[in-house]
Amino acid sequence: MAALSAVAPVLNKAPVVSTGKAANTNSMMVWQPHGNKFFETFSFLPPLSDQEIARQVQYLLNNGWTPCIEFESAEKAYCDSHGWTGIDYNVNAGYYDNRYWVMWKLPMYGCTNPEEVLQEVRACTRAFPECFIRVAGFDNIKQVQCSSFLAHRPTN
């Protein structure tokens, strides 16, 4: 036993690193569980610029995902319960009314340039300025949505 302890290396404790933000109580926020209208990835941030949207679309394309643009009215885009249809959720426990938004055209199969997606987001915004618009990335092999983010929020 003494031989084992003699061979065992002495490990130093890792230094404690602080960002300094914990000491600043003004930078701490409490999450409010009601009235938060967060939708998708990055929805807690200010609206994305065209350049930021293009970078996110390029990420979708780099992963081989198909971009798809969806939109929905403000009344139906977000719900803080199971929804507004009155369906008995004891029977349909996995159903949520705001899960599926209206698709703008077809998914953009074969898209290779983020500018193509930006043009369609702009067209959708012109047609439905009062709606939320999101860009989703679908994996055609796994048949699932892998990513989505808001590209437009209504002004009201």
Side-chain angles (χ1 to χ4, degrees), residues 96-155:
Y96 294 86
D97 286 326
N98 69 334
R99 183 173 293 166
Y100 302 106
W101 289 14
V102 179
M103 191 183 307
W104 171 259
K105 299 185 179 179
L106 292 173
M108 300 181 72
Y109 299 110
C111 176
T112 58
N113 186 350
E115 186 56 37
E116 298 173 50
V117 177
L118 281 172
Q119 289 174 357
E120 291 300 324
V121 167
R122 289 182 197 115
C124 186
T125 303
R126 281 192 303 275
F128 300 99
E130 74 289 350
C131 290
F132 286 91
I133 300 171
R134 70 181 174 194
V135 177
F138 290 96
D139 186 323
N140 66 337
I141 304 299
K142 297 177 184 174
Q143 297 292 306
V144 295
Q145 176 181 318
C146 296
S147 178
S148 65
F149 59 92
L150 285 180
H152 172 76
R153 300 173 194 193
T155 54

Side-chain angles (χ1 to χ4, degrees), residues 8-14:
V10 176
L11 299 176
N12 293 330
K13 286 188 175 181

Side-chain angles (χ1 to χ4, degrees), residues 48-102:
L48 299 176
S49 67
D50 282 356
Q51 182 182 14
E52 291 168 328
I53 293 171
R55 287 196 311 236
Q56 295 306 314
V57 171
Q58 187 62 55
Y59 176 80
L60 301 179
L61 298 175
N62 289 348
N63 282 290
W65 301 335
T66 301
C68 179
I69 299 168
E70 300 173 326
F71 65 97
E72 189 57 79
S73 66
E75 299 83 41
K76 295 182 181 177
Y78 175 86
C79 63
D80 56 3
S81 65
H82 278 278
W84 37 264
T85 60
I87 291 178
D88 180 4
Y89 297 107
N90 295 323
V91 176
N92 299 312
Y95 180 81
Y96 294 86
D97 286 326
N98 69 334
R99 183 173 293 166
Y100 302 106
W101 289 14
V102 179

